[in-house]
Each structure stands twice: as C-alpha cells, then as structure tokens.
Amino acid sequence: MNCMRSTRVLGCRSMRMILVGPPGAGKGTQAARLIESFGIPHISSGDMLRAAVKEGTALGVEADRFMKAGKLVPDEVVIGMILERIARPDCAAGFMLDGFPRTRPQAEALDAAMRGAGVELDAVVLIEVPDALLEERAVGRRSDPETGAIYHLKYNPPPAEIVGRLVHRKDDTIEAVSTRIQKYHSETAPIIPFYLSKGILRRVDGVGDPDVITERIKAALNS
Ligand code: AMP
C-alpha cells in the first residue's frame, strides 16, 4: 500500500521511508523526532555498523577500517545487513532508513528486495545543507551513549551534568568529515535522480532550528 498518495502521513497505516543527506545534515536528529510520530523502527546503517564494531563481530572488524577513514563500507556488507534487518517482523508496517542507501547499487538492491516482498517505498526525504556548514556541524557533534541523544557543543549544547559521558565519533574529525562529504557527492548524490524518477523524492531545507526542520519534513511528507 502506498499511503502517501491517499492518506495524510500521521494517519498512515504503513510508512516506508528513507532519509538522505550529507554527513552532518541532521538525519539522525530528525529520525529520532519523526519516529515518535510514525511509530516505525529507525534503522541507521551507521548505528548498526558502530554496534558491530563495538561488539567486535567479523562484520564490525571489516567495517571499522573504512569507517575510521570516512570511507564507505563495501556495498555487499551493508546491503546484506540492511536487507536482513528490514525483513524482521517489526518492519512489517514500515521503517525509516537513515544512511542507507548510500550508493546506486545499494538503492537498486533495496528496490529489488522490496519488489520481491511486494511492498513499495512511500518517500525519500533529502535533507539539503550547504557543504560550508557541514564540517562545523559534524566536528562539534557529541552523542549520549545512554540515551542516543545527539547534541552540538555550540548549536544544541548538552546539559552540564552529562557532558562527561558524551562521545565524539572517531569519524567526526575534520579529515574524515571532508572525505565523507566528498564521498556523499561522488557516491550518494547519484541515488537522487533514481528516486526523483520514481516521483517519491521530497527536498527539505536542512538549515535552521531542528524543530522547524521537523515541521518542514512532515509538511513535505504530506504534500
Ligand atoms: P553515518 O552514521 O550514517 O554517518 O555512517 C557512519 C559511517 O558508517 C560512514 O561514514 C560509512 O563509513 C559507514 N556507513 C554507514 N552507512 C553506510 C552505507 N549505507 N554504505 C556504506 N557505508 C556506510
């Protein structure tokens, strides 16, 4: 069922969507806000890979060297991980993918798997932020390992009592972020025409107050 075409999103029975955007665009922050409204699982390929690295699984050991350098983990590793995840029962009524697909082969593999399962994507939300803002956003980013909340030292400062436990991602350095931005333009941007041609791409301005951006995304999904 493709309820984007028939029903308002918040009353939707299923929602299969993707958040796309450069590193530091706010995909994780927005996903955490949106899933509260939609009641679907938030599936972040980056979070899954970081968990695998932490657990020291074979997948994690392989992924770690690419991630540290800000490079993309090979398609075959990420595709298997995500297709297995979205086949689980909690995704039957939908999911919000964040950080996947990031290459054209990943987008095509997702498309084929969904076609095989007889379901469709409802929307692809592209959060647009100029490159000039991305480095500063990522380098100042900190996350709370206990709650998963994401802060920015300047733009969204954390409460003083939790500062000591916050984590700075090892790929949020200037060097790794600039590689990640380049990879976004060379590897990920080519998925945009793929979704544009399907008529499900929604562009959202990702500059401004996070609350305002959440409202922009909801409005784009309802348009
Ligand atoms: P993220 O948390 O989405 O910024 O992802 C962090 C890192 O994990 C990326 O810089 C890549 O090294 C890796 N990664 C996450 N998702 C993917 C993906 N779909 N394809 C390849 N590598 C990925």
Side-chain angles (χ1 to χ4, degrees):
M1 161 188 171
N2 189 335
C3 59
M4 280 300 296
R5 288 173 195 144
S6 56
T7 332
R8 288 183 67 80
V9 165
L10 296 177
C12 216
R13 282 194 286 134
S14 73
M15 167 57 78
R16 295 179 181 86
M17 63 172 287
I18 301 177
L19 286 179
V20 183
K27 299 184 296 293
T29 301
Q30 292 302 327
R33 291 157 175 254
L34 293 164
I35 51 162
E36 279 181 24
S37 310
F38 296 159
I40 50 178
H42 167 206
I43 299 173
S44 156
S45 48
D47 285 351
M48 290 178 75
L49 290 167
R50 279 184 289 277
V53 171
K54 205 167 161 192
E55 284 162 26
T57 64
L59 186 150
V61 172
E62 184 177 1
D64 195 35
R65 59 199 170 99
F66 295 98
M67 294 172 75
K68 268 193 207 137
K71 294 185 179 158
L72 293 183
V73 174
D75 283 337
E76 60 276 17
V77 175
V78 188
I79 289 171
M81 179 183 84
I82 293 292
L83 296 189
E84 186 272 326
R85 177 66 188 87
I86 63 174
R88 291 197 207 154
D90 65 332
C91 292
F95 49 76
M96 181 177 301
L97 287 174
D98 156 12
F100 181 96
R102 242 182 175 95
T103 64
R104 183 77 188 224
Q106 291 179 16
E108 285 167 2
L110 177 66
D111 198 52
M114 291 185 71
R115 228 177 312 120
V119 295
E120 291 184 359
L121 271 177
D122 296 297
V124 176
V125 173
L126 172 61
I127 305 179
E128 296 182 300
V129 175
D131 284 4
L133 296 180
L134 296 173
E135 275 187 16
E136 192 194 9
R137 279 194 181 191
V139 172
R141 178 159 61 182
R142 298 290 183 277
S143 59
D144 182 349
E146 285 187 19
T147 63
I150 302 170
Y151 298 95
H152 189 281
L153 296 179
K154 186 167 158 193
Y155 300 117
N156 178 21
E161 62 275 16
I162 67 160
V163 167
R165 69 174 189 233
L166 298 184
V167 176
H168 186 206
R169 278 169 48 172
K170 42 193 179 185
D171 60 351
D172 273 345
T173 59
I174 291 268
E175 298 76 24
V177 171
S178 90
T179 305
R180 287 162 63 206
I181 294 170
Q182 284 167 23
K183 291 280 168 209
Y184 174 77
H185 289 297
S186 61
E187 307 283 336
T188 306
I191 71 174
I192 295 167
F194 179 75
Y195 292 120
L196 195 58
S197 70
K198 290 178 179 290
I200 54 172
L201 189 79
R202 306 278 182 274
R203 292 176 188 273
V204 172
D205 177 2
V207 180
D209 184 282
D211 289 339
V212 174
I213 297 166
T214 307
E215 290 314 311
R216 284 182 198 148
I217 294 175
K218 288 182 180 171
L221 289 170
N222 279 321
S223 67

